[in-house]
Amino acid sequence: DVGEMKAGMSESFTKPFFYDMAALGWLTDAVITPTKGLDIHVIFTLRDPKYKNFKITPTFSDGVTEEYDFTDKTITALSKMELEIEPSYKFGDWKVWLSARYFSKQYINKTNSLYFNGRWETFGGVEYRLNRYISFEASVVNILNQKGASGSITSADLLTDPTLYRDYVMAGTFIRPFTFEFTTKLSF
């Protein structure tokens, strides 16, 4: 026992702190038009997103002070590599398009001990423009029907042993499910 804390107990607290972020990166954005009506939009990103000047020293209710240093850790919820490939084909009043986006591994917590594996997000659709005011679209979200999560888990920010979160149920942001969508656009 330490103070009023019993062995095995944990404590949560909120403390304001300030830090910097830095990212060295490369972005290539290109539109390729191999034939009339066909556009292929490609975006390729490489980056090294890091926390800077990020040290916190909380004092817990039992009087114990700890120091946590996240300086030079990879920023949570950002991939070091992203790739988007978006081909579209227009003919008459019709447009057919696809979109595939790849996100490399993303860290979940500030200690970088937990991460989500790389993943693809896929979309596609068909648009019909009735006139300059009205258009219709049918699209599919998550064509490959991938499952998984994205984002970060703030309750795990100080965690260094990832085995504690194996088979652990959590709430978070998840990849959109396989969905059909129908849209009518009215422009004024």
Side-chain angles (χ1 to χ4, degrees):
D1 294 350
V2 178
E4 295 180 25
M5 300 282 291
K6 302 292 181 205
M9 291 181 67
S10 63
E11 177 179 4
S12 295
F13 68 92
T14 302
K15 179 181 178 180
F17 49 86
F18 300 94
Y19 56 90
D20 298 319
M21 293 187 225
L24 178 61
W26 177 271
L27 174 87
T28 300
D29 188 346
V31 177
I32 304 161
T33 306
T35 184
K36 184 180 178 186
L38 177 61
D39 288 328
I40 302 171
H41 184 204
V42 178
I43 302 173
F44 178 69
T45 306
L46 281 177
R47 66 176 159 238
D48 191 19
K50 299 285 187 187
Y51 291 112
K52 298 293 180 188
N53 305 314
F54 194 172
K55 289 183 183 178
I56 57 174
T57 311
T59 300
F60 296 93
S61 62
D62 60 3
V64 173
T65 300
E66 296 277 343
E67 181 176 281
Y68 300 97
D69 187 356
F70 304 120
T71 299
D72 291 327
K73 295 288 186 180
T74 300
I75 296 172
T76 58
L78 283 178
S79 297
K80 289 187 175 191
M81 195 269 284
E82 294 179 14
L83 173 65
E84 287 186 51
I85 305 168
E86 299 177 338
S88 65
Y89 184 68
K90 289 182 185 178
F91 53 98
D93 296 326
W94 293 87
K95 178 180 177 182
V96 179
W97 61 273
L98 289 171
S99 177
R101 300 176 193 154
Y102 177 75
F103 300 89
S104 66
K105 175 171 77 172
Q106 293 179 347
Y107 287 103
I108 298 170
N109 62 347
K110 291 187 176 48
T111 59
N112 291 171
S113 60
L114 293 170
Y115 61 89
F116 294 123
N117 290 325
R119 70 181 192 283
W120 282 95
E121 292 182 359
T122 51
F123 310 87
V126 176
E127 295 177 24
Y128 174 71
R129 185 172 208 66
L130 182 64
N131 55 43
R132 68 182 210 171
Y133 302 108
I134 301 171
S135 63
F136 304 96
E137 181 177 351
S139 59
V140 179
V141 174
N142 196 353
I143 295 169
L144 299 176
N145 198 25
Q146 292 209 313
K147 294 172 178 46
S150 63
S152 61
I153 303 172
T154 55
S155 63
D157 272 346
L158 303 180
L159 186 75
T160 55
D161 180 8
T163 61
L164 298 173
Y165 276 75
R166 253 192 213 121
D167 301 321
Y168 187 83
V169 177
M170 295 171 258
T173 303
F174 296 88
I175 297 171
R176 289 183 62 190
F178 180 79
T179 309
F180 287 102
E181 297 178 352
F182 301 97
T183 306
T184 300
K185 295 178 187 175
L186 303 173
S187 303
F188 298 97

